[in-house]
Amino acid sequence: MKILHLDTNHELMINQLSDLGFTNHEDYTSSKETIEAKIKEYDGIILRSRFTIDKQFLDAATKLKFIGRVGAGLENIDCDYAEKKGIALIAAPEGNRNAVGEHALGMVLSLFNKLNKADIEVRRGKWLREDNRGIELDGKTVGIIGYGNMGKAFSKKLRGFDVEVLCYDIKEGVGNNDARQVSLKEFQEKVDIVSLHTPQTPLTLNMIDESFINQFKKPFWFINTARGKSVMTKDLVSALKSGKVLGAGLDVLEYEKVSFENLFKKDIASGEAEVPEAFQYLINAQNVILSPHVAGWTIESKEKLAQTIVDKIKAKFC
């Protein structure tokens, strides 16, 4: 079987697949059109998020048996059409769930203790102790929306804190010893912190909007390490301004391109990019922490993601 690799990954992937007898070709620079013209030669493709795998591409891939996505989500692939054509879809949420859980916890603790703000001030010669008085996580109720690989990894990280952890998911029976599954109503009545861990689907698109936010009984802190397009940024900003949302840790933004590699066509620092008003607010807000879609992007997860894909290919095709 011939595999085409469309994005660079940990070297173990090609090494181990070669040892298993697969022929590996790499093309990290050609256009989608060029790839589409030769995809009929391949039994498998492995990518991160370089471009969308749509019906036209899948129709050209006449020999394709599997698509390996070195990550958790599959929203860049027409999954229904691929499955109709008998193409196996292989993702690797097990590979970066620990990294996501740690990143989400880090964002909560940084927000509660004003670490980013305090760091900037000290570097500028300001020593504002009272202004940087933090709050403690102990005694809070943490709510997790989406209790799959990522949600469970985050709840596991909370074991050492004296917190109540609730989860909400459209699937029944997903709760465990680390989080009690509750109705959306109870969730919105009790939580102090909301952490989003859902995939991008038609159901989750623009899910966190003004109406959803206003249904929470208490002001809350918001963490998003899932998908940016699940949140209406302008509504989140309105809630930050009003105090309904006390602060936010955002690893993902609705403005991200399909590849997740950039936000805008031009560099924000150059002043040439057209920056939405809501995003302009976020980058200036002291109670907001931003990171460039790297919650699952660690040295360890790079290796684990690759190994997970290899193991799943081996189990299915060897």
Side-chain angles (χ1 to χ4, degrees):
M1 291 174 66
K2 290 172 64 176
I3 301 175
L4 180 61
H5 298 258
L6 299 178
D7 292 292
T8 57
N9 286 292
H10 195 283
E11 62 184 11
L12 74 80
M13 180 178 290
I14 288 179
N15 291 341
Q16 290 190 22
L17 289 172
S18 295
D19 290 343
L20 291 169
F22 293 94
T23 300
N24 295 279
H25 291 176
E26 301 165 75
D27 189 335
Y28 306 140
T29 58
S30 294
S31 67
K32 181 180 178 181
E33 291 72 24
T34 300
I35 300 294
E36 195 172 294
K38 65 180 181 180
I39 195 60
K40 62 181 180 294
E41 304 171 20
Y42 293 93
D43 301 283
I45 55 174
I46 295 175
L47 77 165
R48 289 198 306 270
S49 304
R50 185 165 153 196
F51 52 68
T52 300
I53 306 297
D54 52 22
K55 288 184 179 181
Q56 180 176 312
F57 187 94
L58 292 168
D59 281 338
T62 52
K63 289 179 60 181
L64 202 62
K65 297 178 179 63
F66 73 87
I67 300 170
R69 164 89 214 291
V70 189
L74 294 167
E75 66 267 27
N76 286 345
I77 302 168
D78 189 330
C79 297
D80 291 340
Y81 195 63
E83 288 172 349
K84 285 180 182 177
K85 295 177 75 70
I87 298 169
L89 301 174
I90 301 171
E94 304 91 342
N96 63 356
R97 59 190 175 190
N98 183 72
V100 170
E102 290 190 6
H103 196 95
L105 178 58
M107 282 187 149
V108 172
L109 295 175
S110 293
L111 285 168
F112 275 29
N113 294 284
K114 302 181 182 180
L115 295 181
N116 286 30
K117 173 180 175 294
D119 173 75
I120 292 169
E121 290 173 352
V122 172
R123 291 172 189 271
R124 293 175 178 171
K126 296 180 180 180
W127 195 260
L128 306 176
R129 295 184 68 222
E130 188 58 39
D131 194 49
N132 286 300
R133 189 182 289 274
I135 61 174
E136 296 179 14
L137 184 53
D138 277 21
K140 304 297 188 293
T141 299
V142 182
I144 299 172
I145 300 178
Y147 204 61
N149 279 284
M150 306 304 167
K152 286 182 171 68
F154 178 48
S155 67
K156 183 178 179 181
K157 301 303 171 190
L158 294 167
R159 288 178 184 173
F161 296 89
D162 185 14
V163 295
E164 180 181 15
V165 185
L166 306 178
C167 66
Y168 172 73
D169 197 293
I170 58 171
K171 294 180 180 178
E172 296 292 335
V174 298
N176 59 11
N177 290 336
D178 294 325
R180 179 169 64 89
Q181 187 170 6
V182 297
S183 67
L184 182 58
K185 183 176 184 296
E186 183 176 351
F187 186 95
Q188 291 176 319
E189 285 178 351
K190 293 185 175 180
V191 300
D192 301 295
I193 302 157
V194 174
S195 190
L196 192 62
H197 296 279
T198 50
Q200 184 173 306
T201 68
L203 192 63
T204 63
L205 196 65
N206 299 327
M207 176 177 65
I208 309 299
D209 61 7
E210 181 181 17
S211 174
F212 189 87
I213 291 169
N214 287 337
Q215 290 175 52
F216 284 83
K217 182 178 180 180
K218 298 185 285 185
F220 63 92
W221 301 81
F222 180 68
I223 306 295
N224 187 9
T225 55
R227 287 293 183 260
K229 288 180 172 55
S230 294
V231 179
M232 295 285 288
T233 309
K234 63 180 182 62
D235 292 353
L236 175 62
V237 165
S238 294
L240 284 163
K241 289 178 178 178
S242 72
K244 183 67 177 181
V245 173
L246 299 169
L250 307 173
D251 180 55
V252 291
L253 293 161
E254 70 168 295
Y255 314 112
E256 290 180 73
K257 302 302 180 186
V258 170
S259 68
F260 308 137
E261 296 300 324
N262 55 67
L263 286 175
F264 308 107
K265 290 183 179 179
K266 295 181 180 180
D267 183 22
I268 294 173
S270 71
E272 297 178 358
E274 186 177 340
V275 180
E277 185 179 346
F279 183 64
Q280 190 66 51
Y281 178 86
L282 293 177
I283 62 178
N284 289 308
Q286 292 186 333
N287 61 340
V288 174
I289 295 177
L290 304 169
S291 57
H293 203 138
V294 292
W297 204 257
T298 62
I299 299 298
E300 293 84 356
S301 72
K302 183 177 183 180
E303 180 174 350
K304 287 189 281 188
L305 284 165
Q307 190 64 62
T308 300
I309 294 293
V310 171
D311 290 346
K312 290 184 177 182
I313 291 172
K314 180 181 179 181
K316 190 166 186 65
F317 295 102
C318 295

